[in-house]
Amino acid sequence: MIITNIESVPGMRIKAQCGLVSGSTVRAKNAIKDFGAGLKNFVGGELKSYTELLTEARNEAINRMIEQAKKLRANAVINVRFATSSITAGAAEVYAYGTAVEVEKIEG
Amino acid sequence: MFELIITVLFLALTYATGSIIEKNHFKKIKQREIKLIKKPVISYGAKNFKPKRPIKKVELVTGEVVIGGDYFKNFVANLKNFFGGRLTPFESIMDRGRREALLRMREKAKYASIIVNTKLETVLINNTYMKNTVPQCAIIAYGTAITYENKK
């Protein structure tokens, strides 16, 4: 599966359009890590456990989007965007959406 | 009286830790930026990318970071908020976070020839408006990494 955030796949031609696909996930860390992050927040600097959480959430959102695209028999997702929002403290929502398309290589 | 002493102690401690962490972080960011200065090129908003050479691989690359302020910065910002104007303590936090996220994205795409259409997405994790808590900010940087085929 090819994923891009531009309006085409460079070097390939769009054959058919399959529609909008999206994937979202809401994740949280456990209370102990929340407490640790709270302490870290007091002294300043990067919150590593929350960065990990964000990476996991982003991976899961993309995977869900890919699953949906596979069901539509697409082989690429173009113009992908991420949207994030905060629901409660210590939880992260990541939403990924894009257009599923069928692409083929340009001959010659 | 006792509470006042504890508050002042906390402020002094967090001022020390916060400034040390920030200084080291900026130093590291500068070193890494210099290392990557000629590596993948970032261009903002190249919507329809027309390549002139054959392409080997097209991929989405991302870099994430969650960054927080500290107790002292929050205290200063709250004071400044009353009078208005620039909130310099928070400006430096956002600057650090964005640069770090961009660097992580570029380091993941070290092999790539070019990264096009880079976007930055920012969200406040905890709502801190009119509250005495320290803000935390999540930043995602993402773009399309394009690798050309090697010349034969």
Side-chain angles (χ1 to χ4, degrees):
Chain A
M1 186 69 69
I2 303 164
I3 298 170
T4 72
N5 76 338
I6 50 180
E7 283 166 3
S8 58
V9 182
M12 287 188 177
R13 196 171 64 83
I14 293 169
K15 214 168 81 183
Q17 211 215 51
C18 307
L20 188 78
V21 286
S22 60
S24 92
T25 173
V26 183
R27 287 184 77 107
K29 276 272 183 225
N30 55 40
I32 297 164
K33 286 207 167 156
D34 277 344
F35 181 70
L39 282 185
K40 190 78 208 281
N41 209 355
F42 214 72
V43 294
E46 193 201 327
L47 308 164
K48 291 231 168 74
S49 59
Y50 281 163
T51 307
E52 240 171 62
L53 170 73
L54 198 63
T55 310
E56 285 165 13
R58 190 255 306 152
N59 271 336
E60 209 171 304
I62 289 184
N63 284 340
R64 282 184 182 169
M65 190 180 70
I66 288 174
E67 264 171 38
Q68 236 184 66
K70 271 181 186 162
K71 269 182 204 161
L72 296 169
R73 272 181 241 128
N75 61 358
V77 185
I78 58 169
N79 213 6
V80 172
R81 294 274 178 281
F82 286 110
T84 47
S85 58
S86 54
I87 294 176
T88 55
E93 196 216 357
V94 178
Y95 185 65
Y97 58 103
T99 310
V101 289
E102 229 183 299
V103 292
E104 59 180 9
K105 249 202 161 125
I106 297 169
E107 301 286 312
Chain B
M1 190 63 204
F2 188 65
E3 276 176 15
L4 190 77
I5 291 169
I6 280 188
T7 314
V8 171
L9 257 178
F10 264 143
L11 282 177
L13 187 77
T14 51
Y15 171 69
T17 55
S19 54
I20 288 168
I21 288 170
E22 185 167 277
K23 222 188 228 169
N24 285 338
H25 196 190
F26 265 129
K27 218 173 167 186
K28 267 186 202 162
I29 285 176
K30 266 177 201 160
Q31 282 171 0
R32 283 157 71 197
E33 272 177 350
I34 289 166
K35 245 186 216 170
L36 283 169
I37 205 156
K38 275 193 175 172
K39 276 281 186 180
V41 192
I42 296 184
S43 91
Y44 293 88
K47 279 273 177 177
N48 262 313
F49 182 72
K50 298 253 172 8
K52 283 167 191 154
R53 282 163 57 188
I55 281 163
K56 203 165 89 185
K57 201 177 176 191
V58 180
E59 201 186 14
L60 189 80
V61 284
T62 53
E64 303 96 341
V65 70
V66 177
I67 204 150
D70 56 59
Y71 189 75
F72 177 77
K73 277 190 170 156
N74 198 40
F75 184 78
V76 173
N78 275 342
L79 277 186
K80 272 201 171 174
N81 213 342
F82 187 74
F83 298 105
R86 288 173 60 187
L87 299 179
T88 29
F90 286 169
E91 277 178 355
S92 70
I93 294 172
M94 298 307 288
D95 182 36
R96 260 161 70 200
R98 293 230 167 86
R99 277 161 84 178
E100 176 78 35
L102 274 177
L103 272 174
R104 280 188 188 169
M105 184 191 75
R106 291 167 75 183
E107 273 165 4
K108 266 189 211 169
K110 259 184 184 165
Y111 57 87
S113 321
I114 188 167
I115 301 175
V116 297
N117 203 16
T118 311
K119 299 248 169 187
L120 282 161
E121 171 79 32
T122 317
V123 68
L124 262 182
I125 289 183
N126 53 353
N127 186 13
T128 54
Y129 187 65
M130 301 301 270
K131 276 185 218 161
N132 204 13
T133 47
V134 185
Q136 301 162 4
C137 203
I139 299 161
I140 303 182
Y142 59 105
T144 307
I146 293 168
T147 319
Y148 294 127
E149 237 163 72
N150 290 331
K151 274 182 186 170
K152 276 167 198 168

